[in-house]
Amino acid sequence: MCRLFALSSRDPVSPMRAIEALNVMKEGHDGSGVGLFLHDLGGPFGDMKDAPILSGIFTDEGLKRLDAFMDERGFVTKATLVLDPQTPTPVGTPVRGTYMARAYEVPADLKAASKTDRELTYMNIRVTLRLIGEELDDIRVFSFWPDTIMVKEVGDPMTVAEYLGLDRSELYARRILAQGRQNTNYAINLYACHPFFLQGVCTMTNGENTAFIPIKEYLLSRGFRGYMGYQSDSEVFAHIMHFTRNRLGLGIEYYKHVITPLSDAEMEGHPDRALLARIKQTCRKLIIDGPNCVIGCLPDGDMFMVQDRKKLRPGVVGGKDGIFAFSSEICGLDAAIPDRDPHSDVQPMHLDTVIVRPECQEVTLCNQLQSLPRPH
């Protein structure tokens, strides 16, 4: 088992707020790893909203190869954050090299290109750097995207956070996803550590997906370079959301209808029955199986939680005006936002999607039996 915690805040907050919530839930995860997604940043990176930020871990030789790669493509460094270890290397955490986030000024031709072309370029650069880094094990890249930083490492979340000194203003963010477990179903690999990221879409999961192989094969057959990796069976949740948004043009309210469609009986009498039947037929190879709680964040800052049809993993959402949290356990929520009204907490059922918009004013609950907003 692992534990998940996410924050959506009107003002930037320290990632340690999420790490401390994971620590409170420590009995529910094995302390084998931590993954962080930070979006809508404060601090100096908050003044560079359009600059893509490269996040990863690099050896000295890897940094040289990175610099040559980016120079060749016309990218110029704007700002660099190096996470210098603050304590001795924790037991079980490898000595890896430089933990770094670097913002770039994009070349003029890319700056003049469409938003779609820029986003595709950022994704292709991230994938290429990952592949060439795997050759010599000298470059690990978790994200290359504007206003976004990711950190991943093996070890106890609180210990790793203290080791890397994560309580610093450059890492304050309005949207934070934190997961407290390294992948243990397969070989230990930082690319298997949640959260998973693709073109601004980020998800993390507590559970397992027994439909992983057919979903992976379907995504790989789409001919999209970003659908790759799959060191974890949970990575497909991020890619299905990306497919729903970017390939089908459907909003967040449709995600559950793709991964856990209504039965034919439940669809009878639904105001959008014909549309849902088409989605169910078209996306049948993306239907998930197994116990899952999924928390995610979209490029526009919407944060969400969904459950599988069996609802066998815990999840709760709560907060107050200005800040809301998504948590595997209520004790994590209590630790992060103790002064909220707990009677307003929401524990989604198997048909629900819980959403908090970036304004952080309220919790929105969407049920699969309700009518849907029309896609463009």
Side-chain angles (χ1 to χ4, degrees), residues 58-68 98 100 102 138-139:
F58 309 86
T59 66
D60 290 345
E61 188 59 36
L63 281 173
K64 294 175 184 176
R65 292 212 294 155
L66 169 67
D67 289 342
T98 300
M100 186 181 76
R102 175 173 287 170
D138 61 349
I139 294 174

Side-chain angles (χ1 to χ4, degrees), residues 247-282:
R247 306 301 288 268
L248 300 181
L250 301 175
I252 190 173
E253 300 87 355
Y254 286 80
Y255 184 54
K256 279 280 288 175
H257 290 287
V258 173
I259 62 173
T260 59
L262 297 173
S263 67
D264 292 344
E266 289 169 325
M267 245 187 266
E268 285 295 331
H270 196 288
D272 303 298
R273 180 179 180 278
L275 173 60
L276 294 181
R278 288 200 300 274
I279 292 173
K280 184 175 182 179
Q281 174 63 22
T282 302

Side-chain angles (χ1 to χ4, degrees), residues 7-11 40 174-175 301-303 319-326 355-363:
L7 280 168
S8 184
S9 175
R10 197 174 297 148
D11 299 313
D40 200 353
R174 295 174 179 86
R175 247 56 67 192
D302 285 350
M303 194 171 283
K320 60 181 183 177
D321 184 51
I323 186 167
F324 288 85
F326 297 64
I355 306 169
V356 172
R357 309 291 183 184
E359 297 81 14
C360 299
Q361 294 176 328
E362 61 184 357
V363 174

